[in-house]
Amino acid sequence: MTHAAPVSPVDRAGLRQRIDKSLTEFLAGQRGWLTGVDAGLVPVAEAIEAFVLGGGKRLRPAFAYWGYRGARGIDSDQVVCALAALEFVQASALIHDDLMDRSDTRRGEPSVHRRFAARHREAGWGGDPDGFGDAAAILLGDLCLVWSDELLHSAGLDPRTVARARPVFDEMRTEVTVGQYLDVLTQATGDTSRERAGKVARYKSAKYTVERPLLLGAALADAPPEVHAAYSAYGLPLGEAFQLRDDVLGVFGDPERTGKPAGDDLREGKRTYLVAAALEAVDEAGRELLLGGLGDPGLDAEGVARLREVITASGALERTERRIAALTESALAALATVDLDTEARQALVDLAIAATRRTD
């Protein structure tokens, strides 16, 4: 496997700075509009600015950008600005995901629903602080989704170019939304099969993290069908590998790197491929222990350690790591099947490695 280059593909061509510049300018305009409506909307502007500008890997715009460049699209700030709209889709998904999972933190900071619940308490307002925080998170997540549309359309691209990309953008947002519902449904029904875990991962994360951004870039570049096919053959396995790495980090990750409490996925009862693989392999005692702790919000550090031991001893962690490696190799092989811009091809190789070997 090719080793990742010293400079991240997210940082090449000044990409991260250009994405952040587009987001900053757009949010400044939105802040002006919000504050013109009512001073009470200032905290809304501040919260979204903090969430969108305060972190994030920028992987989705990077996949879209290098997909566009791979199809020999001409670089421009307008294209980068349009692709930055993906960060608002991501913000919407994460704000809602944190609410559904009752997560206290995101990137080491209070999650949006916790942030607004705390604001309610500090101000001594009437009603339930947590209910207020939940309502605010729903509305801010919706607002981010609305703004993703607005940024895509206001980036300065020719309307015919935007029209080519629109079906991909729409389907991506539908997929991630139904994927979120399938995740909630799977936790409620207690389905522990690897097949179900794979479907949830595919629609909740894999397609919208890699495949759809690539196809969005290809559509903007008016790429031929063979490029679209190769991007799907690269993006689907890589997106699954990305999600599997996320699942491993959700159980074994370092909170200092992930920004989330250790073992949070276990407390939330996530029916991931890692958990499903463990449940298939453990004996009855191990299954009872794992199912007994899974979804327990009060699971302490000792409990997390016990469940980690069960998962590791079952061989599920090793199986998951092998699957990540195999999926990544499959994705990289797909890039060799189509004629792409040389610099962009290498960037996509490096993105694959960065996405599947990350520790945060």
Side-chain angles (χ1 to χ4, degrees):
M1 183 180 290
T2 308
H3 291 291
V7 179
S8 165
V10 182
D11 294 309
R12 289 173 214 168
L15 184 56
R16 190 190 302 272
Q17 291 79 8
R18 294 165 71 191
I19 292 167
D20 287 350
K21 180 174 183 290
S22 296
L23 294 171
T24 299
E25 291 176 353
F26 178 80
L27 284 168
Q30 300 304 86
R31 174 189 273 261
W33 188 92
L34 290 172
T35 55
V37 172
D38 193 278
L41 294 174
V42 170
V44 171
E46 291 174 343
I48 295 180
E49 287 167 0
F51 197 93
V52 172
L53 301 176
K57 302 175 184 67
R58 308 298 189 233
L59 279 177
R60 290 160 187 83
F63 277 116
Y65 174 81
W66 290 114
Y68 172 82
R69 290 282 305 277
R72 294 181 169 80
I74 304 302
D75 191 12
S76 73
D77 288 339
Q78 289 80 13
V79 166
V80 172
C81 187
L83 298 179
L86 290 166
E87 286 299 302
F88 284 110
V89 181
Q90 170 72 341
S92 174
L94 293 180
I95 290 168
H96 286 161
D97 195 46
D98 285 344
L99 172 60
M100 289 184 286
D101 291 341
R102 311 309 304 176
S103 297
D104 293 329
T105 61
R106 168 68 61 179
R107 301 171 188 148
E109 298 294 329
S111 50
V112 169
H113 61 284
R114 298 297 188 211
R115 175 179 178 138
F116 278 86
R119 179 174 179 81
H120 185 289
R121 288 190 182 91
E122 290 164 4
W125 294 333
D128 176 27
D130 290 329
F132 176 81
D134 293 355
I138 292 169
L139 295 169
L140 266 67
D142 288 350
L143 188 57
C144 285
L145 200 59
V146 171
W147 285 356
S148 72
D149 259 333
E150 188 173 337
L151 183 54
L152 177 66
H153 284 277
S154 65
L157 294 178
D158 182 273
R160 290 171 297 180
T161 301
V162 176
R164 279 199 310 269
R166 186 77 224 192
V168 179
F169 194 71
D170 289 343
E171 191 164 4
M172 174 193 68
R173 296 189 304 167
T174 297
E175 285 171 344
V176 71
T177 303
V178 300
Q180 287 276 25
Y181 175 77
L182 289 176
D183 188 24
V184 173
L185 178 65
T186 300
Q187 291 183 58
T189 60
D191 190 333
T192 58
S193 67
R194 279 191 293 161
E195 179 185 3
R196 187 64 170 184
K199 178 176 283 189
V200 170
R202 186 159 57 254
Y203 282 93
K204 180 184 175 182
S205 179
K207 289 173 75 67
Y208 119 95
T209 297
V210 185
E211 186 202 20
R212 291 299 176 188
L214 284 166
L215 294 179
L216 181 67
L220 290 175
D222 201 13
E226 59 267 24
V227 171
H228 287 258
Y231 281 170
S232 286
Y234 164 87
L236 284 171
L238 182 60
E240 185 179 347
F242 174 90
Q243 182 57 47
L244 291 178
R245 175 59 61 208
D246 210 49
D247 295 343
V248 170
L249 292 173
V251 174
F252 294 95
D254 178 358
E256 293 294 322
R257 301 300 302 272
T258 65
K260 303 279 281 184
D264 229 24
D265 278 7
L266 298 172
R267 294 186 189 89
E268 292 165 10
K270 294 289 181 67
R271 260 60 178 181
T272 63
Y273 178 96
L274 178 69
V275 169
L279 287 169
E280 284 183 1
V282 293
D283 58 19
E284 191 57 38
R287 183 179 179 84
E288 185 177 333
L289 181 61
L290 189 50
L291 288 177
L294 199 63
D296 176 6
L299 193 68
D300 59 15
E302 187 177 333
V304 168
R306 282 197 302 270
L307 297 192
R308 282 174 170 172
E309 288 173 8
V310 171
I311 292 169
T312 304
S314 75
L317 178 58
E318 183 183 354
R319 287 169 67 187
T320 303
E321 291 289 354
R322 286 201 305 267
R323 182 158 179 78
I324 290 171
L327 287 166
T328 305
E329 292 288 359
S330 175
L332 294 176
L335 290 180
T337 66
V338 69
D339 180 32
L340 298 174
D341 172 82
T342 302
E343 181 187 7
R345 184 194 303 276
Q346 187 59 50
L348 291 173
V349 169
D350 296 337
L351 273 171
I353 296 167
T356 55
R357 293 185 180 176
R358 72 190 196 282
T359 58
D360 58 4

